[in-house]
Amino acid sequence: MNDREAAYRAAQLYYLQDQTMDMIAGDLGVSRSTVSRLLRWARDEGIVRITVAAPDGPTDHTARTLLDAFGVQAHVVPVSSSASDPQRLEAVARRAAGLLDSWMGDDMTLAVAWGTTTSAIAGHLVPHPTTGSVVVQLNGAANARTSGVRYTTELLDRFASAYDTELYHFPAPAFFDFAETKEALWREGSVRRILELRRTCDIAVFSVGAFRGRLLSQVYSTGYLRPEEVRELADQHVVGDVATHFLRVDGSYAGIALNRRASGPSPAELRRVNRRLCAVAGDNKIQGTLGALRAGVVSDLVIDERTAGGLIALLSS
């Protein structure tokens, strides 16, 4: 019996048959400390997944409010009142990774938008090999000022490695200099293949980009946009983006010039995806999240309770 089989057997006896560690040690012919190590290893490797069903409380009320308002399944993550922004992000990323692990199966296509939040999610994925599945990059990453290609490659590799899938990169800049260049590239066969994969994907995972606050999104913090472009977005009342497509707080996106040059899917395209997982944490993402919800691009929302509280307050104002 190898370690994995021993850990599986120990977990069955401990969690399903209520045996003590001493009894399991006797059954397996090992020491009690070895049983403890096997159980810990089983949790770390995802053989055992523990959930806590809380009584009906504030987070449930928030989830119901968001379901009634937008038809989304909201997963509200409890955080302490003293939690920092990075801690809130990690809590949300952990929950989002757990959902992806439970959803991802054979013959599926997972489309991933690069960014700070999806990078955090990648760090919490539990290896779960699949057959016939693929991971595809949701939006381009190349940049004339700073290259995001290496960062994006490493991020997507972690998703593909976790699920043992093929990986399809999107060979395009995050934003084109000219809308006409984008239109021409979209006619290329290699690019059309990627566009078809993202159009027909089973799951899309992304966050809401924010260009204000302490945890700026990658698009705004690493030189993808010129200062005058950021000012233009502010003048057009933009509150955030989803996969490099910009939104206003009312969910509208028409007339925002940069969207014609963006490589990511439009909200209309994204709405066609069956499961659209959006993970957000941070007060600076509240307005952008409301815009994304009103645009209908989210089917499942993972959000920390403090951000969710601010979202409900804005919704009620």
Side-chain angles (χ1 to χ4, degrees):
M1 184 183 297
N2 60 35
D3 278 354
R4 189 170 187 85
E5 291 169 339
Y8 178 74
R9 175 64 177 164
Q12 279 189 315
L13 295 173
Y14 187 76
Y15 292 104
L16 301 182
Q17 300 183 30
D18 292 325
Q19 291 195 16
T20 66
M21 283 197 273
D22 287 330
M23 293 168 66
I24 298 169
D27 182 278
L28 298 180
V30 298
S31 67
R32 190 179 188 282
S33 62
T34 297
V35 173
S36 178
R37 178 182 62 79
L38 289 171
L39 292 174
R40 184 170 60 253
W41 190 81
R43 292 193 297 271
D44 291 342
E45 291 299 306
I47 295 171
V48 172
R49 297 181 184 181
I50 299 172
T51 60
V52 178
D56 192 41
T59 59
D60 301 279
H61 173 73
T62 299
R64 284 196 299 270
T65 300
L66 293 173
L67 177 63
D68 292 342
F70 303 107
V72 300
Q73 293 296 323
H75 308 266
V76 183
V77 183
V79 293
S80 76
S81 59
S82 61
S84 65
D85 285 350
Q87 288 170 331
R88 292 160 70 183
L89 172 61
E90 284 303 302
V92 164
R94 189 178 300 109
R95 176 69 68 86
L99 288 172
L100 279 178
D101 289 338
S102 67
W103 295 339
M104 194 64 185
D106 296 339
D107 301 311
M108 295 182 70
T109 299
L110 171 64
V112 180
W114 52 269
T116 303
T117 302
T118 48
S119 181
I121 292 171
H124 291 284
L125 296 174
V126 174
H128 172 56
T130 60
T131 301
S133 294
V134 301
V135 169
V136 62
Q137 183 178 335
L138 192 58
N139 52 318
N143 185 340
R145 288 167 288 283
T146 61
S147 176
V149 174
R150 180 177 178 182
Y151 161 82
T152 307
T153 298
E154 292 173 353
L155 188 163
L156 292 168
D157 277 344
R158 293 163 79 182
F159 280 89
S161 296
Y163 302 126
D164 193 22
T165 69
E166 287 189 73
L167 174 57
Y168 289 86
H169 292 285
F170 192 10
F175 300 99
F176 290 84
D177 289 332
F178 305 99
E180 296 77 13
T181 307
K182 170 185 169 180
E183 292 166 5
L185 186 62
W186 261 218
R187 294 195 293 268
E188 291 293 326
S190 59
V191 175
R192 288 171 62 188
R193 166 64 172 155
I194 302 301
L195 296 176
E196 179 65 13
L197 280 172
R198 82 178 190 187
R199 185 185 69 82
T200 59
C201 69
D202 300 283
I203 305 170
V205 58
F206 52 88
S207 184
V208 174
F211 57 92
R212 297 184 180 91
R214 282 172 289 188
L215 278 180
L216 292 179
S217 301
Q218 287 284 329
V219 165
Y220 311 105
S221 64
T222 54
Y224 279 87
L225 297 173
R226 296 187 296 272
E228 59 269 26
E229 290 173 325
V230 175
R231 288 193 295 271
E232 178 186 342
L233 292 175
D235 291 341
Q236 294 177 323
H237 308 292
V238 166
V239 293
D241 77 279
V242 169
T244 64
H245 216 93
F246 298 99
L247 299 165
R248 302 182 185 93
V249 74
D250 63 0
S252 66
Y253 51 93
I256 299 173
L258 268 169
N259 285 340
R260 292 190 62 225
R261 300 193 276 118
S263 60
S266 70
E269 293 174 288
L270 199 52
R271 284 196 295 266
R272 299 190 189 107
V273 178
N274 181 50
R275 182 157 257 164
R276 308 174 302 280
L277 175 63
C278 178
V280 294
D283 298 342
N284 61 332
K285 295 198 173 188
I286 291 172
Q287 287 192 322
T289 301
L290 182 54
L293 290 170
R294 285 172 168 165
V297 298
V298 181
S299 67
D300 294 80
L301 176 68
V302 181
I303 185 169
D304 72 279
E305 61 183 348
R306 284 169 53 190
T307 306
L311 178 62
I312 296 299
L314 180 61
L315 181 61
S316 303
S317 63

